[in-house]
Amino acid sequence: MNVRRILVIDDNADAADLLGAIMAMEGHVVEVAHGGREGLAAAANFLPDVVFLDIGMPEMDGYQVAIELRRNPLMIAARIVALTAWGDDKSRARAVECGFDAHLVKPAKIESLLSEAILVRPAK
């Protein structure tokens, strides 16, 4: 298996911790953050391969976090996966504009989460 560095950013602590635990059980190295600003700080130190990012968070939403992550040259190769309750076309289009690579709607299937965790972002 390809071990990945995975960052989970979600203001719902239970959801974030559960996803982090699942990814750790699969052998990945995991960091969990419970908000946008905390997630940006974690990303700068942890340098994840994959970020599972909630969109609907207070103070700093996932769109803003994704934009900031993409501004960091060290995060160019990281895959950013939206993991959100927002599955409408407008939300999906905005996610692409903000730098997300994939969009999963909660509750996502474990198989989908595990598949996203091992994908590599194509060079751009």
Side-chain angles (χ1 to χ4, degrees):
M1 183 189 88
N2 199 10
V3 174
R4 307 301 305 266
R5 297 174 64 78
I6 297 174
L7 174 60
V8 179
I9 306 173
D10 195 328
D11 63 311
N12 180 327
D14 290 338
D17 294 343
L18 178 59
L19 179 55
I22 290 169
M23 292 298 161
M25 286 174 32
E26 289 294 314
H28 300 294
V29 179
V30 178
E31 183 84 20
V32 175
H34 299 128
R37 295 194 193 292
E38 182 183 336
L40 288 173
N45 293 319
F46 184 62
L47 299 176
D49 300 306
V50 179
V51 178
F52 286 101
L53 177 55
D54 184 26
I55 293 176
M57 297 186 291
E59 295 182 32
M60 185 174 207
D61 68 29
Y63 298 125
Q64 294 168 307
V65 174
I67 290 168
E68 290 302 315
L69 289 172
R70 289 292 177 230
R71 287 183 180 155
N72 181 342
L74 298 174
M75 293 297 300
I76 296 299
R79 281 182 53 77
I80 303 176
V81 179
L83 182 55
T84 180
W86 301 355
D88 60 280
D89 291 341
K90 184 178 177 183
S91 297
R92 289 176 182 274
R94 185 162 179 216
V96 171
E97 292 170 11
C98 292
F100 285 88
D101 297 292
H103 192 111
L104 298 177
V105 177
K106 293 177 182 178
K109 294 182 180 179
I110 290 178
E111 297 82 13
S112 297
L113 294 163
L114 296 176
S115 293
E116 288 294 338
I118 62 171
L119 292 175
V120 175
R121 185 170 199 239
K124 297 202 178 202

